[in-house]
């Protein structure tokens, strides 16, 4: 099993930036793929960004491509989501997730992930 703890959410004005962190424990971090999802009120949880176990492949949803960057630091067992040029429509609870499916692909469906963090709120004001 792996335990995930997100941090870094908050309130920011449109056009601002935030960096989310997700600290992992309980499993060899360098062997698991990671992803970020978000869920706005009344909406389903959707994929935002992900990277495979090696970090060699990344993938972004069209809505965040060019604005968000996912990265990992295996020495710190942490994955990051740098969010720039934030928009009010980015407001949501952001979840990090881990998958131990051994694949070079970035997985984008929520049911492909094995463990989830508790979520962190991101609110972007206009």
């Amino acid at each position: 099993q792996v335990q995930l703890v997100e941090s870094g959410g908050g309130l920011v004005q449109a056009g601002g930036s935030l960096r989310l962190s997700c600290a992992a424990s309980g499993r060899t971090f360098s062997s698991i793929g990671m992803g970020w999802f978000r869920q706005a009120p009344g909406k389903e949880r959707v994929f935002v960004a992900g990277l495979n176990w090696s970090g060699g492949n990344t993938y972004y949803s069209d809505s965040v491509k060019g604005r968000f960057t996912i990265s990992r630091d295996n020495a710190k067992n942490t994955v990051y989501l740098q969010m720039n040029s934030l928009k009010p429509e980015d407001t949501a609870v952001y979840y990090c997730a881990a998958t131990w499916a051994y694949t070079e692909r970035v997985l984008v469906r929520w049911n492909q992930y094995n463990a989830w963090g508790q979520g962190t709120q991101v609110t972007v004001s206009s």
Side-chain angles (χ1 to χ4, degrees):
Q1 277 290 359
V2 62
Q3 292 76 44
L4 305 172
V5 178
E6 302 102 332
S7 61
L11 173 64
V12 64
Q13 288 189 331
S17 298
L18 283 174
R19 188 176 80 157
L20 305 183
S21 299
C22 174
S25 61
R27 194 178 178 103
T28 304
F29 182 71
S30 59
S31 66
I32 58 178
M34 300 295 295
W36 286 96
F37 290 73
R38 66 186 181 188
Q39 187 168 20
K43 297 188 177 181
E44 64 181 18
R45 191 172 300 188
V46 297
F47 173 83
V48 174
L51 43 62
N52 70 336
W53 65 273
S54 68
N57 287 330
T58 58
Y59 188 75
Y60 300 90
S61 68
D62 288 343
S63 61
V64 307
K65 197 174 299 182
R67 300 188 298 123
F68 290 12
T69 303
I70 188 171
S71 61
R72 66 191 299 159
D73 184 338
N74 287 344
K76 296 182 178 180
N77 286 2
T78 300
V79 64
Y80 304 98
L81 185 67
Q82 178 66 44
M83 306 186 295
N84 298 329
S85 303
L86 283 161
K87 305 175 182 180
E89 51 264 44
D90 294 318
T91 295
V93 177
Y94 283 71
Y95 298 90
C96 74
T99 175
W100 33 91
Y102 192 72
T103 175
E104 290 296 331
R105 295 183 296 115
V106 176
L107 304 180
V108 300
R109 295 198 304 268
W110 68 267
N111 59 0
Q112 294 174 310
Y113 286 79
N114 304 102
W116 294 83
Q118 81 287 353
T120 186
Q121 177 70 45
V122 171
T123 303
V124 184
S125 63
S126 57

